Amino acid sequence: MDQLSAVGDWRMWAIMAGVCVAIVFYCWDKFSIEVVSAVVVAACLLFFQVADGPDAGTLLAGFANPALITILALLIIGQGIFQTGALEAPTRAMLAMYDVRPKITILALFLFVFAVSAFINNTPVVVMFIPILGAIAAREKNSPSIYMMPLSYVCILAGMTTLIGSSTNLLVAESLLDTSGLQLGFFTPTGPGLILAGVGLLYITFILPHLTPKRADMESEITGTSAGKQYIAQIEVGSGHPLLGQKPVAGMFPDLPDVTVRMIQRGENALLPPFDTVELQHGDLVIVAATRKKLTELLSSRADFLKGMLRAAGPGEAPAPGERLAITEAIVSPGSRLIGRTIRQIGFRHSVGAVVLGIQRRSRMFRARMGEIRLEAGDVLLMFGTGDAMRKLRADRDLLLIEWATSDLPDPRRAMAARVIFGGVVLTAATGLLPIVVSSVLGAVAMIATGSLNTRQAARAFDMKVYLLIGSAFALGTSLEATGGAEVLAYGVVALFQPFGTIALLSALFFLVAALTNVLSNNATAILFTPIALNAAEQTGGDPILFALTVLFAANTCFATPIGYQTNLLVMGPGKYKFTDFVKAGLPLSLLIWAAFTVFIWLNSGLRF
């Protein structure tokens, strides 16, 4: 579109005003992101129905964009990882390191994230470390929001440092080659990229913690209230069980950390502590006292513990892999018909499909099989079962189900399948064997096909907020490009700042691209602005590679909105962030990177790449 004709196009000014209004409403928080996004899409459709411009299919193309499909597929894969507890082992290893040297562990983790993100697609890196950082935050009894935004920002900064660090970099290199015949080397962005990343990392370390919201995670609130309760539970040692043949060390069994073994029932004999000479055998029933948190960790960590507890609870069908598993607490109400009856006589597993994992009676502790304990009013039962079993328990008048204490539990029986799927997605995407959109969709389908999660659980992973937010962002970007708004802004900046010299022009160009990359997609800004920057380089006699790198770094400065980059969207849910959180924390970082770039080109004004 001719720039002069575009300036007089009323549609362009209307769309620019619409973009500003949309950003105001996103930041206002008066209306939900879903409502604002839906109104934006509807307004774009109505506007171009009246005025000439993109048709409905073009405006709605964002809802089928590969980046959006990739994010939604990765959310499903992440749900499968959670549902099976597939990353429990590396998470526990990281937590063990954290317990010894917390600050060094956090530093090493983020340095590793930075190094890996410089050479592979950073989306699977973020997916991999979200549960690990979430577990560390829980260990600290802190909000996961303090780590999720830094995780995304570190990955984005690392993407500036090599040619393959981000798909944006490759698009700039391709446009440079097509326009001027010049090539960007693999490490051409590395020098200035490391300087900019270093400035950003200092900001993340010392300033970002003061700007990041500390929102409590509902799950941590729930588990925290009952963290100190001790329940009596029992584990049956069967063939292949991890406890089989195990001997205590200093009175504690290695696979039962922070768990007190109160009795071992071997046939008709009850073995009492100390257990120094005891070796666990097939058929032993281990009676333990443990908190809800520790029992949950045992069930989540290894499938054999889950199977052993189900066997110890008596005959009955085991939950099918892929079913929603939950753990909750229920109180035996006064006047209940359960009072005076044993857990075995009640048969919870047969009647409602739930299993009593543990029992807690005020300050009293038992040394007896759980099935032989007679219930009293006020006893707290730790119940485990499927989602259907929880619904049946809710209708039971003899028990008072504590709704707020109900939480989902990972099912480790499909953990290995989930690990293989997740590893395959990361490997194929990182090596370029398959495009990430293909590998992520295949991974999401495989999660369902292997029973790692069912279709209802996959549907719960579908985030409507992310879906509508990305779709509306693409609609705005398409409208801005179609009316020539972005192009007019770019050429206006070149015309305005060219008389002040190359440094002022590059700084202004960086600022404009960095601003628009948080509204448009970073790939769109790279494709749109690289030819404009190269044209400006030709007019001013500047180094075309320096102008191309300006677009490359600016297009990666996408910290100020969740729609700026897909890793921002991935951490938005786990971090409980609002749109304004990214503006408050990311806008200063974007301005700092712009200032650092300006100083860099000023100090290296004679530098040629």
Side-chain angles (χ1 to χ4, degrees):
M1 177 182 294
D2 181 77
Q3 284 74 55
L4 292 176
S5 62
V7 170
D9 191 343
W10 66 273
R11 298 175 306 156
M12 181 195 73
W13 297 109
I15 291 298
M16 284 186 177
V19 170
C20 295
V21 170
I23 293 174
V24 168
F25 273 92
Y26 277 129
C27 296
W28 190 10
D29 282 338
K30 173 75 172 178
F31 304 98
S32 68
I33 287 178
E34 296 92 326
V35 171
V36 175
S37 300
V39 170
V40 165
V41 174
C44 288
L45 290 171
L46 180 61
F47 180 81
F48 286 110
Q49 185 67 32
V50 177
D52 292 334
D55 57 21
T58 304
L59 290 171
L60 297 175
F63 291 104
N65 186 273
L68 175 57
I69 302 301
T70 299
I71 290 171
L72 295 177
L74 288 172
L75 289 174
I76 293 174
I77 293 172
Q79 180 76 2
I81 293 293
F82 165 78
Q83 206 64 39
T84 59
L87 290 183
E88 284 291 323
T91 300
R92 285 198 306 275
M94 189 68 69
L95 290 175
M97 292 174 54
Y98 177 83
D99 289 338
V100 179
R101 290 185 173 87
K103 292 183 179 179
I104 293 177
T105 301
I106 294 294
L107 178 63
L109 188 149
F110 276 102
L111 288 176
F112 177 76
V113 167
F114 184 90
V116 172
S117 296
F119 296 98
I120 70 172
N121 187 290
N122 47 29
T123 302
V125 177
V126 171
V127 173
M128 183 187 304
F129 282 95
I130 281 175
I132 294 176
L133 287 171
I136 288 177
R139 178 63 58 92
E140 294 177 332
K141 296 182 180 178
N142 219 328
S143 169
S145 61
I146 65 171
Y147 289 128
M148 296 305 163
M149 194 179 291
L151 173 64
S152 177
Y153 286 178
V154 167
C155 287
I156 294 172
L157 289 170
M160 297 181 177
T161 59
T162 67
L163 188 63
I164 63 171
S166 168
S167 58
T168 307
N169 305 356
L170 294 172
L171 290 172
V172 171
E174 183 181 353
S175 182
L176 174 66
L177 182 62
D178 292 342
T179 305
S180 64
L182 298 174
Q183 281 188 320
L184 284 181
F186 188 91
F187 292 108
T188 301
T190 303
L194 285 174
I195 293 173
L196 297 179
V199 172
L201 291 176
L202 289 174
Y203 173 89
I204 291 171
T205 304
F206 297 106
I207 300 177
L208 186 59
H210 302 288
L211 301 176
T212 307
K214 309 295 189 297
R215 295 200 176 91
D217 184 29
M218 183 63 70
E219 183 179 352
S220 65
E221 291 179 355
I222 290 171
T223 56
T225 57
S226 58
K229 283 184 181 179
Q230 291 279 327
Y231 289 90
I232 291 296
Q234 59 188 26
I235 305 169
E236 183 178 331
V237 181
S239 57
H241 197 279
L243 293 177
L244 186 63
Q246 198 167 106
K247 297 180 179 179
V249 178
M252 299 287 292
F253 289 92
D255 277 2
L256 295 174
D258 302 318
V259 172
T260 302
V261 178
R262 300 190 60 81
M263 185 180 78
I264 298 173
Q265 186 74 35
R266 181 171 292 171
E268 298 300 322
N269 299 318
L271 308 179
L272 301 176
F275 303 107
D276 295 338
T277 59
V278 174
E279 178 179 334
L280 292 177
Q281 301 176 4
H282 183 277
D284 282 353
L285 200 62
V286 183
I287 313 299
V288 302
T291 63
R292 167 179 171 161
K293 181 180 178 182
K294 288 301 173 184
L295 290 174
T296 301
E297 288 178 358
L298 284 178
L299 289 174
S300 305
S301 60
R302 300 175 72 168
D304 293 320
F305 277 109
L306 175 59
K307 293 174 183 175
M309 286 190 173
L310 289 174
R311 280 198 302 269
E317 291 187 7
E323 282 190 271
R324 178 203 169 205
L325 302 182
I327 190 168
T328 192
E329 296 172 18
I331 301 174
V332 178
S333 58
S336 169
R337 293 174 298 174
L338 306 181
I339 296 174
R341 300 170 65 189
T342 66
I343 294 174
R344 180 178 296 170
Q345 290 172 341
I346 298 168
F348 283 111
R349 192 170 185 184
H350 175 73
S351 59
V352 295
V355 172
V356 179
L357 290 181
I359 179 172
Q360 190 264 342
R361 180 175 296 168
R362 294 179 289 278
S363 59
R364 291 174 56 190
M365 300 297 288
F366 306 94
R367 279 195 175 96
R369 298 186 186 189
M370 273 187 13
E372 299 172 353
I373 298 173
R374 295 189 180 276
L375 297 181
E376 296 180 3
D379 285 350
V380 181
L381 306 181
L382 188 64
M383 310 290 292
F384 162 78
T386 63
D388 289 338
M390 295 298 115
R391 283 190 289 272
K392 291 178 182 178
L393 280 173
R394 194 176 295 117
D396 193 326
R397 299 304 178 199
D398 293 313
L399 286 173
L400 177 61
L401 191 68
I402 307 175
E403 292 284 354
W404 51 263
T406 303
S407 58
D408 284 353
L409 191 71
D411 184 351
R413 291 173 295 173
R414 287 292 184 270
M416 183 54 67
R419 289 190 196 105
V420 171
I421 293 167
F422 179 70
V425 171
V426 172
L427 183 64
T428 53
T431 58
L433 187 62
L434 289 174
I436 188 170
V437 62
V438 176
S439 61
S440 58
V441 170
L442 289 176
V445 172
M447 282 288 183
I448 299 172
T450 58
S452 298
L453 74 169
N454 57 37
T455 53
R456 290 193 303 275
Q457 292 162 342
R460 284 204 303 271
F462 185 92
D463 195 329
M464 184 60 68
K465 180 189 298 183
V466 171
Y467 181 72
L468 288 173
L469 189 59
I470 296 180
S472 63
F474 273 102
L476 284 175
T478 300
S479 302
L480 200 58
E481 290 180 47
T483 56
E487 195 173 357
V488 165
L489 286 174
Y491 278 104
V493 167
V494 171
L496 181 63
F497 287 93
Q498 186 172 329
F500 298 99
T502 303
I503 294 176
L505 175 57
L506 288 173
S507 179
L509 184 64
F510 188 104
F511 184 88
L512 177 62
V513 175
L516 288 180
T517 196
N518 285 284
V519 180
L520 308 174
S521 71
N522 52 352
N523 288 344
T525 53
I527 294 171
L528 180 64
F529 280 93
T530 303
I532 297 172
L534 295 177
N535 184 39
E538 184 179 353
Q539 292 177 20
T540 59
D543 182 4
I545 293 183
L546 180 57
F547 275 75
L549 287 177
T550 300
V551 176
L552 183 149
F553 293 133
N556 280 293
T557 309
C558 40
F559 309 105
T561 65
I563 60 178
Y565 197 64
Q566 56 195 23
T567 57
N568 290 350
L569 286 165
L570 282 174
V571 301
M572 192 174 182
K576 312 291 183 185
Y577 298 123
K578 299 179 181 179
F579 193 98
T580 49
D581 294 330
F582 284 92
V583 178
K584 293 175 183 176
L587 185 57
L589 178 56
S590 298
L591 294 174
L592 184 63
I593 297 296
W594 166 62
F597 176 81
T598 303
V599 172
F600 173 79
I601 58 174
W602 175 62
L603 294 175
N604 300 274
S605 55
L607 184 65
R608 296 187 70 87
F609 289 84

